[in-house]
Amino acid sequence: MNKLKFKAAVVGFAALALGLTAVSASAQCDSGEVVVKLSHVTGGTTHPKVVASNNLAERVNKELNGEMCVEVYPNSTLFGDSKELEALLLGDVQLLAPSLSKFGSYTPKLGIYDLPFLFKDMDQAIRFMTAEKGKELLNSMSDVGFVGLGYWLSGMKYFSANKPLLVPSDAEGLKFRVQTSDVAKAMISAMGASPQPMAFAEVYGALQTGVVDGQENTWSNIYTKKFFEVQDSTTETSHQVLAYLFMTSTDFLESLKPDVREKFLAICDSVTMEANESVKAKEETNKQNIIKSGGKINELTPEQRKEWVDAMKPVWKQFEKGIGADYIEAASKS
Ligand code: SIN
């Protein structure tokens, strides 16, 4: 990395620490380098996606110095949920890591990751993602022009609201923000509550003003987006896994010189492996950060957990055809 780029990267990380906007400006990249914009919607400094994105930029900017240069735009500062996939196809951004729950308009198959209580923990999800069927799903949207470079795990999801949610009937009549996922909508309806799809950037305000009563997310998102400040408590339901499709477009990948593409893909694999190895520790840190900051967490008894599982299991049948029974079976056995 040359001196100018090193300086710019340091400024970028300082900006992140202060919660400011984009990490970079194009001035960081030397002329002649392929400039790669990585846009995502999460924030803070301890979030798994923030760390993985910054690692990727650091590695590419060092190991492919002079050939390729990655700029990271966190916190929906370049594109938010609603525009980023379209922007990738238009070539306005080259790398994204959207939640797997946000691809419903392109494929029903990734709905597997939203099936409630299919993945008991992150280890089971990783086993599925790294086995044959999981790898196949990485490229379930190749007809659209999307290329899955890897899965970045974020954590298990938990429900929060302004009252303890110990059994599904506690959620009856409440409004929950969900991602744009038909499976998530069906799951909330199965709880007798109403789903409100909404972009991630709008969730804090919607919870604060009472537009919605609750939400579901990982410890890392609940902490870094401060949802715990505007919710009485979060319940350790672990009802779904939240993971990202670290992705690019066929057009971008094909535009690279073969040797650059090969080195770039090797860095992507290595960053992905490292991200998934450290994700559990990051989730635990952010759970402890919530507790230290005064957030309240409710645990479930085995009987209460069974009530959640029983209420949500019928949702699987509804989506089995679109996802594929073979994928669901493989995930269950992972
Ligand atoms: C993310 O972690 O990228 C956002 C998840 C959400 O929309 O809840």
Side-chain angles (χ1 to χ4, degrees):
M1 186 185 265
N2 63 28
K3 265 192 199 151
L4 173 64
K5 204 182 286 181
F6 178 70
K7 191 171 160 218
V10 171
V11 169
F13 283 113
L16 247 193
L18 292 170
L20 300 180
T21 55
V23 162
S24 52
S26 34
Q28 287 178 37
C29 299
D30 301 329
S31 66
E33 289 183 314
V34 176
V35 178
V36 180
K37 292 187 169 76
L38 192 174
S39 171
H40 68 79
V41 301
T42 53
T45 53
T46 53
H47 193 287
K49 181 154 62 178
V50 170
V51 175
S53 300
N54 293 341
N55 278 347
L56 182 91
E58 209 173 81
R59 293 272 310 265
V60 168
N61 295 354
K62 188 169 164 207
E63 294 168 38
L64 286 174
N65 187 25
E67 295 178 295
M68 188 186 268
C69 173
V70 173
E71 300 174 345
V72 182
Y73 295 84
N75 254 326
S76 309
T77 45
L78 187 60
F79 293 107
D81 284 330
S82 62
K83 291 275 188 294
E84 61 182 8
L85 290 168
E86 207 180 304
L88 182 62
L89 291 175
L90 291 170
D92 294 335
V93 64
Q94 290 72 35
L95 292 173
L96 298 174
S99 154
L100 292 164
S101 313
K102 294 178 180 166
F103 292 98
S105 4
Y106 297 96
T107 176
K109 289 197 172 302
L110 293 175
I112 190 167
Y113 293 105
D114 281 340
L115 290 182
F117 296 105
L118 174 59
F119 297 103
K120 280 186 283 305
D121 52 31
M122 285 192 260
D123 290 334
Q124 185 186 350
I126 287 279
R127 284 195 296 274
F128 175 71
M129 288 167 172
T130 51
E132 191 196 333
K133 288 279 182 210
K135 282 191 199 156
E136 266 173 38
L137 289 179
L138 276 179
N139 286 313
S140 50
M141 297 173 290
S142 51
D143 56 330
V144 182
F146 291 149
V147 180
L149 296 168
Y151 293 107
W152 287 357
L153 209 61
S154 183
M156 301 306 290
K157 283 163 76 177
Y158 313 102
F159 282 115
S160 70
N162 280 325
K163 60 187 274 204
L165 300 172
L166 300 179
V167 287
S169 57
D170 290 332
E172 262 171 34
L174 300 184
K175 284 182 279 182
F176 282 85
R177 178 268 173 174
V178 289
Q179 301 181 52
T180 50
S181 154
D182 287 346
V183 184
K185 283 194 252 171
M187 176 183 78
I188 298 293
S189 300
M191 290 154 51
S194 60
Q196 308 278 316
M198 186 182 292
F200 188 54
E202 291 164 24
V203 181
Y204 183 92
L207 292 169
Q208 191 178 37
T209 54
V211 168
V212 289
D213 306 298
Q215 64 86 46
E216 40 148 18
N217 236 304
T218 58
W219 297 131
S220 296
N221 276 338
I222 293 169
Y223 177 67
T224 58
K225 285 291 176 181
K226 302 190 192 307
F227 297 158
F228 69 94
E229 288 182 358
V230 284
Q231 295 277 265
D232 280 354
S233 64
T234 305
T235 302
E236 278 196 290
T237 43
S238 298
H239 58 280
Q240 281 173 338
V241 70
L242 174 63
Y244 308 118
L245 187 68
F246 171 43
M247 67 189 294
T248 186
S249 68
T250 317
D251 284 352
F252 171 68
L253 216 50
E254 286 178 355
S255 73
L256 296 175
K257 286 198 246 153
D259 61 323
V260 173
R261 181 166 57 226
E262 198 180 313
K263 287 186 224 159
F264 169 65
L265 290 175
I267 296 172
C268 291
D269 283 351
S270 157
V271 167
T272 296
M273 202 178 299
E274 204 180 303
N276 290 335
E277 274 165 12
S278 61
V279 68
K280 277 202 241 166
K282 291 196 176 60
E283 271 290 275
E284 185 55 31
T285 301
N286 285 322
K287 178 181 175 184
Q288 295 311 320
N289 285 340
I290 292 170
I291 295 168
K292 275 189 237 148
S293 309
K296 189 168 174 309
I297 295 175
N298 312 306
E299 286 175 14
L300 294 179
T301 63
E303 294 74 27
Q304 288 166 336
R305 173 168 301 281
K306 186 173 178 313
E307 282 201 45
W308 285 98
V309 175
D310 290 348
M312 291 179 175
K313 197 70 186 266
V315 171
W316 290 26
K317 262 276 159 264
Q318 240 179 290
F319 295 92
E320 185 180 279
K321 195 156 170 263
I323 293 168
D326 51 337
Y327 288 96
I328 299 178
E329 195 190 345
S332 307
K333 291 182 174 160
S334 292

